[in-house]
Amino acid sequence: MSEVATVATGWGLTFVVVVTYSLWVVSRGRAIGRELGIGEAESPGSKRDTDLTTDS
Amino acid sequence: MSGGTNSTEMTATPATRVLGVSAVAATALMILLGLVISPADVVQGEAVRMLYLHVPSIWIAYGSFVLTSFSSLLFLARSKRRPDGGRHYDRLAGSAAEIGVLFTAITLITGMLWGKVTWGTYWQWDARLTTTVLLFVTYLGYLALRRLPVDPMVRGRRAAVMALISFINVPIVHYSVDWWRTLHQKASLSVGRRPEITGEMYWTLLYSVLTVTIIAAWLTVHRYRVIRLEELRDEETLEQLISSRRNEETADTAEPGDTI
């Protein structure tokens, strides 16, 4: 593999790994948040913690 | 953070958004500096550009494992004295360890590719490479331990002990190039030692460390929040199961004709 191809592979793989992990973390947060009803419109006085929003 | 039932335990969304936007902007500049502006090396040629990923990744991994150990120590020391059992320390330890494992994996990937160009081989069982892969496997074990379905406090204590034991390998990895004869070069940047690189390459490397730190901070905050959400979900599921069981027991013990 040439030097340029090695650098491209290294940088490319790094960004794929980091972006994939980031998307997994954000989507998992949103999925569990939806499951718990966090971040949705709530009635006043609800006990649910509205600070636990699942947006990035 | 804004007010709320558990607001002191939560992460602030506006802050993470700022951190996220900063990470994206910093990454764009890092690509420009690392792949375009910084020059090729006279010895290593274009392959030196792997330096801007490889070195920051292992620094962040070290930093994450330091955070894991420190949080684990605080969890062990304070878990019995705090009303919440000090579980936020456990959460922080878990999230930091996962980020550390991620960046150790990136260190290994970029190192292998760089090694193929400079040494002619992807892998060599020398001290630095062997201790790094051991570090990776040990912390993978730590993350596996955190997934065991046992009482959260018991699991937290076991994980904290394992985190402290696993940390012993971090200085061994770092100083392995000084303690043993290895194929791996000595540290490019080290406290109390003149840097091996200068000029644009030096500043690009420092900037890359800053960028990867911002990315790791964003990831750690989000992972912490997801762990908290997972705990809330587990608690809610447990409450539902207990409630359902109680209802069944009440129905079983109620005599025919009784009104509920």
Side-chain angles (χ1 to χ4, degrees):
Chain A
M1 203 188 304
S2 72
E3 286 175 7
V4 173
T6 301
V7 171
T9 308
W11 280 70
L13 279 175
T14 300
F15 282 100
V16 166
V17 168
V18 173
V19 169
T20 304
Y21 180 74
S22 306
L23 291 175
W24 175 78
V25 170
V26 171
S27 62
R28 185 164 173 76
R30 284 182 179 166
I32 300 173
R34 268 198 302 273
E35 225 174 284
L36 294 169
I38 293 169
E40 294 169 1
E42 291 173 21
S43 57
S46 166
K47 282 188 174 180
R48 180 76 69 199
D49 185 352
T50 51
D51 285 349
L52 255 177
T53 56
T54 53
D55 292 344
S56 57
Chain B
M1 285 183 205
S2 57
T5 314
N6 295 321
S7 62
T8 52
E9 293 178 16
M10 302 308 157
T11 55
T13 299
T16 56
R17 282 188 181 137
V18 170
L19 206 56
V21 171
S22 305
V24 172
T27 303
L29 186 57
M30 179 182 156
I31 293 169
L32 191 68
L33 286 169
L35 296 180
V36 181
I37 296 174
S38 85
D41 186 55
V42 285
V43 179
Q44 297 194 26
E46 297 293 337
V48 78
R49 299 186 195 283
M50 297 299 280
L51 177 82
Y52 309 127
L53 295 175
H54 186 69
V55 174
S57 298
I58 194 64
W59 278 33
I60 293 306
Y62 288 162
S64 298
F65 296 144
V66 167
L67 187 57
T68 300
S69 305
F70 192 62
S71 304
S72 299
L73 202 61
L74 287 172
F75 176 74
L76 287 175
R78 298 184 179 178
S79 60
K80 287 180 182 168
R81 279 187 275 159
R82 296 181 74 99
D84 67 340
R87 284 179 68 183
H88 55 283
Y89 293 123
D90 179 54
R91 268 174 238 138
L92 185 58
S95 52
E98 200 166 292
I99 307 308
V101 166
L102 179 82
F103 281 98
T104 307
I106 291 171
T107 304
L108 288 167
I109 293 167
T110 53
M112 285 167 71
L113 288 165
W114 200 3
K116 180 65 179 167
V117 176
T118 54
W119 305 333
T121 178
Y122 285 111
W123 191 260
Q124 189 77 34
W125 288 102
D126 87 335
R128 170 58 73 87
L129 277 67
T130 307
T131 51
T132 307
V133 84
L134 188 64
L135 185 78
F136 178 69
V137 172
T138 310
Y139 276 95
L140 268 185
Y142 167 83
L143 293 178
L145 181 65
R146 293 186 62 85
R147 289 177 178 268
L148 289 180
V150 292
D151 176 73
M153 292 304 288
V154 173
R155 184 178 57 209
R157 277 195 290 276
R158 287 177 186 169
V161 171
M162 187 171 176
L164 293 174
I165 293 169
S166 304
F167 187 73
I168 295 169
N169 196 20
V170 171
I172 296 174
V173 172
H174 185 69
Y175 290 108
S176 58
V177 288
D178 298 321
W179 293 345
W180 295 287
R181 286 180 62 188
T182 66
L183 193 58
H184 196 283
Q185 68 186 61
K186 298 222 183 292
S188 303
L189 290 178
S190 192
V191 178
R193 191 191 288 170
R194 180 187 282 187
E196 297 285 322
I197 55 169
T198 54
E200 285 167 333
M201 289 165 75
Y202 174 77
W203 291 111
T204 303
L205 178 56
L206 283 189
Y207 179 78
S208 302
V209 171
L210 175 72
T211 301
V212 179
T213 305
I214 296 170
I215 295 169
W218 184 85
L219 286 171
T220 306
V221 166
H222 276 270
R223 191 64 186 103
Y224 177 99
R225 193 160 68 185
V226 171
I227 291 174
R228 176 70 184 129
L229 285 167
E230 287 166 345
E231 286 174 1
L232 278 175
R233 185 189 57 184
D234 293 347
E235 283 162 15
E236 192 157 290
T237 307
L238 188 65
E239 276 172 22
Q240 281 171 356
L241 282 171
I242 291 169
S243 167
S244 152
R245 182 72 186 132
R246 278 187 185 144
N247 288 342
E248 281 174 21
E249 280 176 358
T250 311
D252 289 345
T253 54
E255 288 181 14
D258 283 356
T259 52
I260 299 172

